[in-house]
């Protein structure tokens, strides 16, 4: 089955700095890669996603890049703010109508004021 | 957007008892729903895929006789943790694919504590 590796497991940055989280996946048939932000005790919240036919996507301070050949994708957050502090998960979804998501182990991002 | 609800939001039960968790799609129909378990400071692990009108598909290592899943209607899936033990204490989250391909909506989660 699919395996998703996520790094780093913890990331501490100063407010205003950029944060980058990287993921790799194993199944070349995976075609959808969402990123979720999860606050303690809450449900995962989709913050950005990318499909396999796109190399990069940006939404204000958040961007995601995808390299299908290398099977890795990354989350970039610019101008970080304390409210960005949370756990971030990458995930991959297989092809077809499966809809199954495989999650990375998560990154605890701390933005220090 | 589509809304998925879960009930209860938290539950405490004694070891050996059974607990039922409900997952509902409120404004859309879901022939498939997913159940995840999340231990503290860990990731979401898919337990099973719930299929309306048919048997659930369990992930490797998940005991189907312990985690009973019923998907009796297009808007409701239930997860019953039978003979619960303290090691079953976890955050259980369901999700359902939306009407638009690739969308998936998560329930708010159920915190289960087994004493």
């Amino acid at each position: 089955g699919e395996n998703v590796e996520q790094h780093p497991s913890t990331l501490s940055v100063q407010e205003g700095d950029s944060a980058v989280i990287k993921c790799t996946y194993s199944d070349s048939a995976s075609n959808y890669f969402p990123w979720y932000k999860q606050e303690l005790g809450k449900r995962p919240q989709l913050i950005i996603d990318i499909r396999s036919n796109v190399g990069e996507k940006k939404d204000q301070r958040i961007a995601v890049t995808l390299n299908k050949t290398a099977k890795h994708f990354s989350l970039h957050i610019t101008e970080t703010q304390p409210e960005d502090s949370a756990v971030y998960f990458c995930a991959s979804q297989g092809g077809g109508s499966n809809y199954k998501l495989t999650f990375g182990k998560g990154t605890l991002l701390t933005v220090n004021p | 957007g589509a809304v998925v609800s879960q009930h209860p939001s938290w539950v405490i039960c004694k070891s050996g008892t059974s607990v039922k968790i409900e997952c509902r799609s409120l404004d859309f129909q879901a022939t498939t729903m997913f159940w995840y378990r999340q231990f503290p400071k860990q990731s979401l692990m898919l337990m099973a895929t719930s299929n309306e009108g048919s048997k659930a598909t369990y992930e490797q290592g998940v005991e189907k006789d312990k985690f009973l899943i019923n998907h009796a209607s297009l808007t409701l899936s239930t997860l019953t943790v039978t003979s619960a033990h303290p090691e079953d204490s976890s955050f259980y989250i369901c999700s359902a694919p939306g009407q638009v391909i690739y969308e998936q909506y998560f329930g708010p989660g159920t915190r289960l504590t087994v004493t």
Side-chain angles (χ1 to χ4, degrees):
Chain A
E2 171 72 296
N3 183 48
V4 177
E5 300 282 341
Q6 182 173 346
H7 298 281
S9 56
T10 61
L11 179 59
S12 181
V13 300
Q14 289 299 121
E15 182 177 359
D17 287 350
S18 295
V20 180
I21 303 171
K22 299 183 179 182
C23 288
T24 61
Y25 61 99
S26 61
D27 188 351
S28 56
S30 293
N31 57 9
Y32 174 63
F33 307 92
W35 284 90
Y36 294 93
K37 176 183 181 182
Q38 187 181 34
E39 297 176 344
L40 193 62
K42 302 283 184 66
R43 75 186 89 194
Q45 175 191 357
L46 178 70
I47 57 171
I48 197 166
D49 56 11
I50 192 166
R51 302 180 190 181
S52 59
N53 59 347
V54 176
E56 184 174 357
K57 183 178 178 180
K58 188 174 182 180
D59 182 4
Q60 300 183 344
R61 297 187 296 111
I62 297 174
V64 56
T65 59
L66 171 64
N67 183 325
K68 279 208 70 179
T69 303
K71 288 190 279 190
H72 67 70
F73 56 112
S74 300
L75 175 71
H76 304 252
I77 305 175
T78 58
E79 301 172 28
T80 54
Q81 301 166 1
E83 49 266 38
D84 293 330
S85 297
V87 178
Y88 291 81
F89 292 99
C90 64
S92 73
Q93 181 176 294
S97 59
N98 191 313
Y99 295 112
K100 282 175 59 172
L101 287 172
T102 301
F103 285 83
K105 291 190 183 301
T107 297
L108 174 61
L109 173 64
T110 303
V111 180
N112 302 298
Chain B
V3 177
V4 173
S5 70
Q6 278 184 246
H7 178 79
S9 55
W10 60 270
V11 58
I12 301 173
C13 71
K14 292 187 184 296
S15 186
T17 62
S18 295
V19 174
K20 181 186 285 188
I21 302 170
E22 293 184 347
C23 177
R24 292 183 185 272
S25 55
L26 295 187
D27 49 2
F28 67 103
Q29 295 181 335
T31 57
T32 300
M33 290 183 175
F34 299 99
W35 286 97
Y36 297 86
R37 180 168 54 182
Q38 186 176 31
F39 292 111
K41 297 187 178 181
Q42 293 190 24
S43 186
L44 284 79
M45 295 298 296
L46 181 65
M47 299 174 66
T49 303
S50 174
N51 303 298
E52 188 268 335
S54 65
K55 291 184 179 180
T57 305
Y58 291 83
E59 295 300 303
Q60 191 173 5
V62 177
E63 301 173 58
K64 62 176 128 181
D65 293 332
K66 179 171 182 61
F67 298 99
L68 301 180
I69 291 173
N70 185 284
H71 195 149
S73 79
L74 289 171
T75 58
L76 174 64
S77 174
T78 61
L79 168 68
T80 301
V81 183
T82 63
S83 187
H85 291 286
E87 55 265 31
D88 298 323
S89 298
S90 188
F91 193 49
Y92 292 86
I93 306 175
C94 68
S95 74
Q99 302 304 301
V100 177
I101 192 170
Y102 299 120
E103 286 184 340
Q104 192 151 162
Y105 299 98
F106 286 86
T110 296
R111 172 75 58 194
L112 169 63
T113 301
V114 185
T115 61

